[in-house]
Every structure is written in C-alpha cells, then in structure tokens.
Amino acid sequence: MRIRLLALVAALAITLPVAPATAAGSRYAPLDRPGPALHVSVKTFKKALLCHGPYVANHKEPVLLIPATGVTPKQNYSWNYERAFTKQKRPWCTITMPQHTLGDIQRVGEYIVRGIRTLHRRTHRKIAVMGHSQGGMSMRWALRFWPGTRTLVTDVIGMAGSNHGTTAGLGCKDGKATCTAASWQQQAGSNFIKALNSRRETFPQISYTEIYSHTDEVVQPAKGPHPSSAVRGGHNVTNVATQSICSTDVDEHLLIGTIDPVTYALVMDALTH
C-alpha cells in the first residue's frame, strides 16, 4: 500500500523550479552565515518543551511537532499525532510557543532551533520537523537563518503550511484589531515571507513533503500553478494536494492538520521512506 501511495505522490506532485537568487534576495543574510545568538533562554525553552521517548535503541525517525497559529500543541496534536506516534514507539517532542503562537514568528523560530538541537541530541540521529499551518512553515525560518540546523534534520513535513503567505485577510484587512503579529507576517508579500524565501527555499540534504488542500480557506491561493503551501525545490521536494490522492477529499485547513486520513497516509509515507 505504501509503495502504491508513494508512486501516486511521485506521479501527481507539483515540483516547482528552484527560485534563482535575485537582487532583492541579496538584501538578506547569505545562506551559510552562522545564525544569530538565541534570545530564548534554555530555562524558558525547557518549560515550553514536552517530549516522549523511547530515545535509545529506537530506529524510528524522531518528530518535532510545531503548532499552528493560535493554538497550543495540546490542542493541535495531543488527540491525534501524539497518540499515533506514541503507539508506534516513535520519539516526539512538542513546543508550547509564547502567546499561543500569535506573536512574532521570528521568536518562534528560535524555539524551533532549540527544539531541533534538543531532539537530535537525545536521539543521536537526524529528525523530522512537522507542523500545521504556521507550524508547517516556521521550521523553514530556523533552517534558513541557522545553517547548523540543516545537518540535524532529514525531513520537513508541512500540513497546509503558509510557505508563501496568504491572500486571505486573517483579520489584517481594514485596520482590524484582530491582526496579530503572526497574522501580519503571514500575509502574502510581507517582509517576513520575503525574508523566509530569500536566496533559496529548500536545501538539498533535506526531504520536503508539503501537503495542502484545494478547499483550504485560510492559506490561499490553494489552487492553480502556484499554491501558497508549495515550496520551490528540486528532486527532494514533494508538493501534493490531498485531492490528487483522493478526489473526494473535502477536508479544509483545520482538518488537514488534525484528522484528515489522506494527510496522515502522506505523513507516514514521508517518515518511512
């Protein structure tokens, strides 16, 4: 079944060309510049971290789970992926971000850097970083601006990730007070999104699986040649809509990152291949 699924993904996935370095991209840090010092203290990070083993004598790929905007890991994953990974005896960690992940995503990136280093150190092997919505994109900030993390990660798995922002309002239109820092940064064309995708979007030593839905009402556009969730890269990138696997799948933004069965199958395929 997994082999058939993998073949379907290979046949139906969207592969976007690698974005060339541009004059605008040159305004941002070179790809190999060491990352800045972390402002998030070890003590603060440890309070936000929750992990589950076993860590040693375990050959399953460890997973760092990153939550979506406005929710905690408990709300996002405790009733679905945490249970599944625990039953599989797969090591996993989650991080409770400040302000329910509504604040500055640059700070979220620092928590992710510490999370990647911690899970890799505990398991002594490369890990997967997986997330929903903002959490399906924010790990790329850590990988972009802290080059040392790239050697610690083997898989990036995004579920409805806001990789190119969104044209949906997210409370940021017409001067609404509901526009949080994270919502502003996730607008299509924001300075944050430009920095995130500067110079290059993916790195060859990491496999990327970006899963999205044509019915996504939050991360838009969700259809057409350039869906917002898709990332640009080469042979190591799979951008796949759930409808490409199951044409009758109508699960939207929330369900893609929680209970959608097609997404779960694609996640497990990525973790086992």
Side-chain angles (χ1 to χ4, degrees):
M1 179 63 184
R2 285 177 180 165
I3 294 175
R4 292 181 61 194
L5 177 60
L6 191 63
L8 278 171
V9 171
L12 297 170
I14 296 175
T15 300
L16 299 178
V18 177
T22 63
S26 65
R27 294 181 301 171
Y28 302 99
L31 296 174
D32 58 352
R33 178 182 293 175
L38 300 176
H39 294 89
V40 177
S41 70
V42 173
K43 182 179 180 180
T44 299
F45 170 75
K46 285 183 176 180
K47 290 181 179 179
L49 183 70
L50 173 66
C51 292
H52 189 280
Y55 305 115
V56 296
N58 189 319
H59 300 292
K60 289 187 170 67
E61 189 172 315
V63 182
L64 177 63
L65 286 161
I66 310 300
T69 303
V71 296
T72 64
K74 182 177 181 180
Q75 294 167 322
N76 215 151
Y77 301 120
S78 66
W79 51 285
N80 43 59
Y81 283 98
E82 287 181 19
R83 291 187 179 187
F85 293 159
T86 298
K87 189 172 182 179
Q88 295 169 10
K89 300 188 185 305
R90 181 184 302 278
W92 58 264
C93 290
T94 61
I95 306 171
T96 300
M97 303 299 179
Q99 299 176 271
H100 273 69
T101 326
L102 292 167
D104 187 350
I105 304 175
Q106 296 175 98
R107 183 56 56 90
V108 168
E110 295 194 14
Y111 279 85
I112 296 173
V113 170
R114 288 208 182 276
I116 290 171
R117 293 171 177 171
T118 299
L119 186 54
H120 178 269
R121 184 172 61 250
R122 291 187 181 186
T123 58
H124 301 288
R125 58 192 182 279
K126 291 186 177 184
I127 72 167
V129 188
M130 171 177 160
H132 173 216
S133 192
Q134 179 194 140
M137 165 276 290
S138 54
M139 77 282 278
R140 293 184 49 240
W141 184 268
L143 294 168
R144 168 63 180 88
F145 292 104
W146 282 266
T149 60
R150 299 170 202 159
T151 62
L152 312 181
V153 173
T154 186
D155 275 299
V156 163
I157 304 173
M159 302 178 291
S162 50
N163 288 298
H164 288 272
T166 178
T167 56
L170 300 182
C172 293
K173 291 184 177 180
D174 303 321
K176 292 183 179 179
T178 52
C179 181
T180 65
S183 296
W184 182 263
Q185 289 170 321
Q186 290 177 93
Q187 296 294 300
S190 72
N191 288 335
F192 175 87
I193 293 297
K194 290 177 182 177
L196 172 70
N197 295 317
S198 61
R199 296 187 182 265
R200 68 176 303 145
E201 297 183 21
T202 60
F203 300 95
Q205 65 269 46
I206 301 171
S207 294
Y208 294 78
T209 303
E210 299 295 335
I211 307 162
Y212 64 99
S213 172
H214 291 317
T215 61
D216 193 323
E217 78 288 12
V218 176
V219 178
Q220 296 180 358
K223 296 181 180 180
H226 300 294
S228 182
S229 290
V231 295
R232 295 176 182 269
H235 68 279
N236 60 324
V237 177
T238 298
N239 296 300
V240 57
T242 56
Q243 289 80 13
S244 296
I245 304 299
C246 178
S247 60
T248 58
D249 188 344
V250 295
D251 285 349
E252 37 67 62
H253 185 78
L254 175 62
L255 299 184
I256 285 295
T258 52
I259 62 172
D260 178 66
V262 178
T263 301
Y264 177 78
L266 290 167
V267 166
M268 294 314 304
D269 189 78
L271 290 174
T272 54
H273 293 88

